Amino acid sequence: MQKSYTLDAKRREKVGSKYAQRVRSAGGLPVVVYGHGHEPLALYVDAKETIKHLEKGEKVFGINIEGEKGEQTVLVRDLQFDYLGTRIIHADFALVDLNEQVEVSVHVRLVGDAVGLSRGNAVLLHPHTEVEVRCTVATLPDELRLDVSSLDVGHSLHAGDIALPSGVELLSDKDMVLATIHETKEEEVAVGEAAGAGAGEAGAPERIGEKKGEEADKA
């Protein structure tokens, strides 16, 4: 993974929820940058462009910090969301070197048409959507792909089935289930459809990081 986008970060004069809200109202995204013996810095970046890249799952960025010389590299460590869990309101970044070993969660995308889904009452479940890996920042993948084409009813694919890129080590339990096909009975399908009709926004998009409300906004 190469740096996807360069952040131009300016310093925040004051911290706290009230001042962070003012930053957001002006089109900024409050962030904290730390690491490499560096005192944590309360900064802000352009919200629109930064969030666009974060929502794509990108984790490595270049950063130009106001008052410091030269571009540095940062890795996303945590994202905070609003109380609805839909809008990014704060980000934590760690200063890193491209050759530094890091341990991070990476999204797993299921690809292919599972053979077991040819049955009308079969459903594909994706109980875990991320795995933990260790690698250098330079070799960190944007996502990992798991081919489910051969997956049939009653069978599962696990973390150990992922074809990892060179230099990427799996830290998650290799037996952790990532995909499985379950054959439902007709009455289960009917109940599921009825429940889904009243489920509202149960199918909201995935977000990385812990979802925290504005009241938990960091310095």
Side-chain angles (χ1 to χ4, degrees), residues 1-6 53 58-62:
M1 171 187 287
Q2 296 298 317
K3 294 174 287 187
S4 60
Y5 174 69
T6 297
H53 288 276
E58 295 172 6
K59 293 183 173 64
V60 180
F61 295 85

Side-chain angles (χ1 to χ4, degrees), residues 68-110:
E68 298 194 8
K69 293 182 179 180
E71 181 178 312
Q72 302 181 71
T73 303
V74 291
L75 175 70
V76 178
R77 280 304 190 188
D78 187 46
L79 297 178
Q80 293 180 47
F81 294 77
D82 62 9
Y83 70 98
L84 294 176
T86 58
R87 184 170 64 93
I88 297 171
I89 63 171
H90 189 283
D92 281 357
F93 294 103
L95 290 167
V96 292
D97 183 274
L98 288 177
N99 295 318
E100 181 178 340
Q101 288 276 338
V102 293
E103 297 180 1
V104 294
S105 295
V106 177
H107 179 70
V108 177
R109 182 183 299 278
L110 304 184

Side-chain angles (χ1 to χ4, degrees), residues 11-214:
R11 296 175 185 268
R12 285 185 278 156
E13 295 182 1
K14 297 181 179 180
V15 297
S17 296
K18 179 174 69 173
Y19 300 107
Q21 181 55 46
R22 291 180 183 176
V23 168
R24 288 189 283 269
S25 296
L29 176 69
V31 303
V32 170
V33 173
Y34 60 91
H36 283 187
H38 208 301
E39 286 293 323
L41 296 176
L43 310 168
Y44 69 92
V45 295
D46 180 78
K48 183 178 179 181
E49 281 299 311
T50 305
I51 291 174
K52 178 177 71 175
H53 288 276
L54 290 172
E55 288 183 337
K56 291 179 182 178
E58 295 172 6
K59 293 183 173 64
V60 180
F61 295 85
I63 189 168
N64 290 314
I65 299 175
E66 181 181 35
E68 298 194 8
K69 293 182 179 180
E71 181 178 312
Q72 302 181 71
T73 303
V74 291
L75 175 70
V76 178
R77 280 304 190 188
D78 187 46
L79 297 178
Q80 293 180 47
F81 294 77
D82 62 9
Y83 70 98
L84 294 176
T86 58
R87 184 170 64 93
I88 297 171
I89 63 171
H90 189 283
D92 281 357
F93 294 103
L95 290 167
V96 292
D97 183 274
L98 288 177
N99 295 318
E100 181 178 340
Q101 288 276 338
V102 293
E103 297 180 1
V104 294
S105 295
V106 177
H107 179 70
V108 177
R109 182 183 299 278
L110 304 184
V111 297
D113 298 319
V115 64
L117 291 181
S118 59
R119 304 188 191 185
N121 57 343
V123 293
L124 174 63
L125 304 178
H126 192 11
H128 292 94
T129 59
E130 293 184 335
V131 294
E132 291 283 331
V133 301
R134 180 190 290 119
C135 60
T136 65
V137 175
T139 57
L140 176 63
D142 290 317
E143 66 178 15
L144 294 169
R145 296 192 171 199
L146 180 61
D147 188 355
V148 298
S149 301
S150 61
L151 190 58
D152 207 346
V153 172
H155 295 272
S156 301
L157 289 173
H158 307 84
D161 295 316
I162 299 175
L164 295 172
S166 176
V168 178
E169 176 189 356
L170 179 69
L171 296 181
S172 295
D173 184 346
K174 66 179 182 179
D175 294 322
M176 182 174 71
V177 175
L178 297 178
T180 185
I181 294 185
H182 175 61
E183 189 171 17
T184 63
K185 298 179 181 178
E186 290 186 9
E187 54 267 30
E188 288 178 333
V189 174
V191 170
E193 290 176 348
E201 299 298 322
E206 297 170 11
R207 302 287 180 181
I208 61 175
E210 184 178 357
K211 299 183 179 180
K212 305 173 184 175
E214 256 183 65

